[in-house]
Amino acid sequence: MVRELVGEVLGMSPYEKRLLDMLKTGGVGAEKRMYKFAKRRLGSHKRALKKREQIKDSWGKIRARMA
């Protein structure tokens, strides 16, 4: 709950914005590139997978608001 509130107030960090941009542009292997980038930034497999899913969820919410 606290993390969601902080994320709402502060927005995304630059590397999260870059992950979102990778997802937006899509293409073949976008999720794999997102994972590799997140793993380099965050340092572990679990954290990278969790962050990738978090960014995908936030992109889904943004798209739902647009529609």
Side-chain angles (χ1 to χ4, degrees):
M1 183 172 146
V2 174
R3 287 178 192 245
E4 291 175 13
L5 181 63
V6 169
E8 251 181 64
V9 172
L10 297 177
M12 293 184 160
S13 63
Y15 86 93
E16 289 174 329
K17 288 178 186 176
R18 192 161 167 198
L19 283 169
L20 184 61
D21 189 46
M22 286 179 193
L23 182 61
K24 284 181 187 178
T25 55
V28 178
E31 287 192 25
K32 184 175 182 178
R33 278 187 289 124
M34 287 173 66
Y35 164 74
K36 287 178 130 182
F37 181 76
K39 187 169 187 237
R40 269 184 260 135
R41 295 293 169 149
L42 299 171
S44 78
H45 175 75
K46 279 187 177 181
R47 287 179 188 164
L49 291 179
K50 189 174 178 183
K51 183 58 73 175
R52 182 178 68 181
E53 293 305 314
Q54 179 188 353
I55 297 295
K56 284 169 58 178
D57 289 343
S58 64
W59 174 236
K61 289 177 185 175
I62 291 169
R63 287 183 60 193
R65 272 190 257 140
M66 287 179 174

